Amino acid sequence: MHDTDQDMQFLPTRLIDISIIDRDLDAVRLIDTGTLAFAPKYITLSHCWGAVEVPMAIQLMRQNISALERQILVNVLPQTFRDMILISRSLQTQYIWIDSLYIVQDDKEDWKTEAAKMWQIYSNAYVNIAATSSSNSSQGLFRQRGTLATNPCIADVREGHPFMPAGNNHCYDDAEWTNQIGRASLNKRAWVQQEWLLSDRVIHFARDQVFWECQRMKASERYPNGIPSRYDTDVAKLSLGSVNDGSDNESPKRRLLELWSSVVGEYSTRALSHISDKLIAISAVARILSRKYPNAGIYVAGI
């Protein structure tokens, strides 16, 4: 994945330190980032809470902040969280961010304050891990699959074929990205759209293989050097990352309106647990586009 421009001084208010505290006990802990002497890289998570009730012990509440700052036993965390810790350690990243362990769930003021920072949290993360095929946090990131799932299909076509060129031809499903990511459980959630759009890098743990993308390319286990252009039909993320600065040029303005219309159209099909989140869950995208196009108009309640 490629480097991107980020605010290297920004940090969320809280992070989870996943370094090994005790060799005999696999535990992590919540930290207040105000105690850090530097701004380290961190990894975020996009996931579905789902219908499965999330235990109070793994939600940040007013009464358990001190306890979670001492330690959080990894074996009591849902499988998706455990898998994220495993991956983050393998990426040699000490800090992670998970929403249920970040916002104080029974404190409305903390929710208002921290929800307003979501655009910064995701846009400044080292990478976002997406539990794309999981409908709740107990299902984890990894799936059982056959080895053929990640092997490219190559057809050796002989000379004289009526409509295919001779030689080795890669065969692929144009709709694979849409089927495995766009229509997956995670991407039915409204909040996840801006998490995806704002993240400079995303690793999608899908049904049959792992996909990853940044502002310059999309790839998969089957196509690690980049998904063929004909197959890569979803351009919204690339467009959001590459829109230029504000100017009076008519073409960029028109592109902004087209992009915003596409974002809102997709957002309107997604589900929200709380209807009061309707404008908040897309406000970060509106904020960034407004900054990039200060002369394009004023954002008013989704319009």
Side-chain angles (χ1 to χ4, degrees), residues 29 36 62 118 121 171 210 218 231 253-254 263 296:
R29 64 190 179 96
L36 297 176
R62 282 178 290 189
M118 289 297 181
I121 291 170
C171 303
V210 177
K218 294 180 179 180
Y231 172 37
K253 284 187 179 181
R254 185 164 56 248
V263 168

Side-chain angles (χ1 to χ4, degrees), residues 6-266:
Q6 295 181 317
D7 180 357
M8 302 308 294
Q9 299 304 311
F10 171 80
L11 274 181
T13 304
R14 308 173 186 100
L15 289 171
I16 301 168
D17 183 349
I18 62 172
S19 58
I20 303 298
I21 301 171
D22 185 338
R23 292 187 180 276
D24 298 324
L25 184 68
D26 193 6
V28 298
R29 64 190 179 96
L30 183 72
I31 65 161
D32 181 335
T33 59
T35 64
L36 297 176
F38 63 99
K41 67 181 181 181
Y42 62 91
I43 293 175
T44 52
L45 175 69
S46 288
H47 69 110
C48 290
W49 285 45
V52 176
E53 185 176 352
V54 179
M56 296 293 285
I58 56 170
Q59 294 186 56
L60 184 61
M61 313 293 286
R62 282 178 290 189
Q63 73 270 22
N64 69 356
I65 293 177
S66 295
L68 297 183
E69 287 178 335
R70 287 192 297 272
Q71 71 173 22
I72 307 168
L73 296 176
V74 173
N75 62 9
V76 305
L77 295 173
Q79 191 61 51
T80 298
F81 294 11
R82 283 182 271 168
D83 290 345
M84 182 198 184
I85 290 171
L86 176 67
I87 293 164
S88 300
R89 285 173 173 168
S90 71
L91 293 174
Q92 300 181 332
T93 302
Q94 184 176 348
Y95 299 98
I96 63 173
W97 182 95
I98 300 174
D99 54 0
S100 62
L101 291 169
Y102 174 72
I103 295 176
V104 181
Q105 301 298 312
D106 58 350
D107 187 331
K108 290 184 179 179
E109 288 305 312
D110 190 74
W111 191 92
K112 289 179 182 178
T113 300
E114 300 304 333
K117 300 176 183 176
M118 289 297 181
W119 70 278
Q120 292 172 296
I121 291 170
Y122 281 94
S123 62
N124 288 293
Y126 174 58
V127 66
N128 182 47
I129 290 176
T132 305
S133 64
S134 299
S135 59
N136 61 66
S137 293
S138 69
Q139 294 179 349
L141 298 176
F142 304 111
R143 297 287 180 270
Q144 293 288 337
R145 63 195 185 168
T147 55
L148 292 179
T150 60
N151 290 340
C153 177
I154 301 175
D156 183 8
V157 180
R158 297 182 178 180
E159 293 285 351
H161 193 279
F163 59 87
M164 291 184 68
N168 291 333
N169 289 268
H170 285 257
C171 303
Y172 53 82
D173 179 4
D174 284 351
E176 185 172 47
W177 182 278
T178 298
N179 291 336
Q180 296 231 19
I181 296 175
R183 295 175 182 168
S185 299
L186 179 67
N187 289 310
K188 295 175 182 177
R189 287 186 58 224
W191 275 99
V192 170
Q193 185 187 27
Q194 74 171 7
E195 295 171 7
W196 167 67
L197 284 169
L198 296 173
S199 300
D200 283 337
R201 309 174 186 91
V202 183
I203 303 174
H204 300 274
F205 286 82
R207 184 184 68 243
D208 295 329
Q209 60 180 309
V210 177
F211 296 79
W212 57 94
E213 60 178 322
C214 63
Q215 303 292 1
R216 292 168 59 185
M217 70 176 292
K218 294 180 179 180
S220 66
E221 290 180 88
R222 183 177 290 136
Y223 295 104
N225 295 319
I227 292 172
S229 58
R230 179 184 167 195
Y231 172 37
D232 181 12
T233 57
D234 189 347
V235 298
K237 181 171 182 59
L238 296 176
S239 298
L240 184 62
S242 59
V243 288
N244 61 6
D245 55 8
S247 71
D248 293 325
N249 187 298
E250 188 62 29
S251 180
K253 284 187 179 181
R254 185 164 56 248
R255 179 60 188 135
L256 167 65
L257 294 176
E258 292 172 354
L259 179 57
W260 179 245
S261 177
S262 174
V263 168
V264 171
E266 170 62 25

